[in-house]
Amino acid sequence: MTIRKKNKVDAKPSMLLVCATDAEATFFSQFRKDCRYSNLTVVKATGTTLDKILSEAGSMRTKGKFSSVWCLFGLDDVGATLEDVDASKAIAEKKKVKMLYFAPSFYLYFALFETCPKRVADTETLKRRVQVSFPDFELSSRYFLTSGLNVNFKIYPKLAVADQNARDYNVISEMDTGFAATTLPLFLDDLKTVLGKADMSQARNRF
């Protein structure tokens, strides 16, 4: 009797993004839909401190067998400094979790799609910069589900610009503080490696 061998299907690479706030989780959940990244999982962390979020992400990585796990936070979300983030790198490496952080806040992500000629140390200045392009912009789930529903479609074509701005901005930040202000370039590189190219056609039709 001939025994049929089952076709072995390799597991598809996957990414987990653990967000510090509801607003960030809502934004990247929409990013997942707009880019049609079915192998991206976005969750809101239950912890509120950096150590707790890293620990939570590490546990989820083990249970979910994700290819890559990131913790997303603005420094103001977790009450941390760049020195604190640097001190947490050893913990993150031990748990095999990467940190996607923004100093001083997640507003920096959206500001980088324009230009950042000098380091911005306060959130209010970043907010005013973002509101030049999006007058009613705010970091809230309500905004990303209503008037900000199409933000991804509007900024995604400039993702390469944001990547380069982040790299240039980090040079300035390192000169001023000794630390990079964001790990966005590392995250974007990993996004391409793990998830591949985005398909924005669905979002384009909706927009």
Side-chain angles (χ1 to χ4, degrees), residues 17-22 25 42-49 52-54 56-57 60 71-72:
L17 184 61
V18 181
C19 302
T21 69
D22 287 323
V42 180
V43 299
K44 158 68 171 64
T46 58
T48 56
T49 65
K52 287 183 178 179
I53 293 173
L54 288 172
E56 187 177 345
M60 284 189 273
C71 287
L72 163 67

Side-chain angles (χ1 to χ4, degrees), residues 164-178:
Q164 187 58 55
N165 281 343
R167 295 173 191 273
D168 294 342
Y169 191 71
N170 276 338
V171 172
I172 298 170
S173 178
E174 287 170 356
M175 290 176 62
D176 289 347
T177 69

Side-chain angles (χ1 to χ4, degrees), residues 25-26 37 50 62 93 129 161 179-180 182:
T26 300
Y37 280 141
L50 180 53
T62 302
E93 290 177 3
R129 286 192 180 189
V161 173
F179 302 99
T182 179

Side-chain angles (χ1 to χ4, degrees), residues 127-179:
K127 185 176 180 179
R128 287 193 294 272
R129 286 192 180 189
V130 176
Q131 288 178 335
V132 171
S133 299
F134 301 96
D136 61 342
F137 188 94
E138 61 180 38
L139 287 181
S140 70
S141 294
R142 183 196 62 81
Y143 173 76
F144 292 124
L145 292 173
T146 55
S147 58
L149 186 63
N150 291 307
V151 166
N152 273 314
F153 176 76
K154 294 176 181 178
I155 66 177
Y156 188 85
K158 296 192 289 184
L159 197 61
V161 173
D163 186 1
Q164 187 58 55
N165 281 343
R167 295 173 191 273
D168 294 342
Y169 191 71
N170 276 338
V171 172
I172 298 170
S173 178
E174 287 170 356
M175 290 176 62
D176 289 347
T177 69
F179 302 99

Side-chain angles (χ1 to χ4, degrees), residues 6 12 28 51 86 102 116 122 125 128 151 157 162-163 169:
K6 292 182 179 180
K12 189 176 183 181
F28 272 99
D51 286 350
D86 188 62
F102 298 88
C116 286
D122 65 286
T125 300
R128 287 193 294 272
V151 166
D163 186 1
Y169 191 71

Side-chain angles (χ1 to χ4, degrees), residues 45-142:
T46 58
T48 56
T49 65
L50 180 53
D51 286 350
K52 287 183 178 179
I53 293 173
L54 288 172
S55 179
E56 187 177 345
S59 296
M60 284 189 273
R61 181 194 65 78
T62 302
K63 294 176 182 177
K65 297 182 180 179
F66 294 96
S67 308
S68 183
V69 177
W70 289 81
C71 287
L72 163 67
F73 59 93
L75 265 59
D76 59 349
D77 297 331
V78 295
T81 64
L82 284 170
E83 288 82 358
D84 294 331
V85 173
D86 188 62
S88 295
K89 286 181 179 179
I91 297 174
E93 290 177 3
K94 183 178 180 179
K95 295 183 178 297
K96 298 181 180 179
V97 171
K98 302 161 196 172
M99 292 185 286
L100 172 56
Y101 68 85
F102 298 88
S105 72
F106 188 47
Y107 276 103
L108 178 61
Y109 175 83
F110 301 93
L112 289 171
F113 284 87
E114 300 304 326
T115 180
C116 286
K118 61 181 181 179
R119 190 173 73 87
V120 180
D122 65 286
T123 294
E124 283 304 312
T125 300
L126 281 174
K127 185 176 180 179
R128 287 193 294 272
R129 286 192 180 189
V130 176
Q131 288 178 335
V132 171
S133 299
F134 301 96
D136 61 342
F137 188 94
E138 61 180 38
L139 287 181
S140 70
S141 294
R142 183 196 62 81

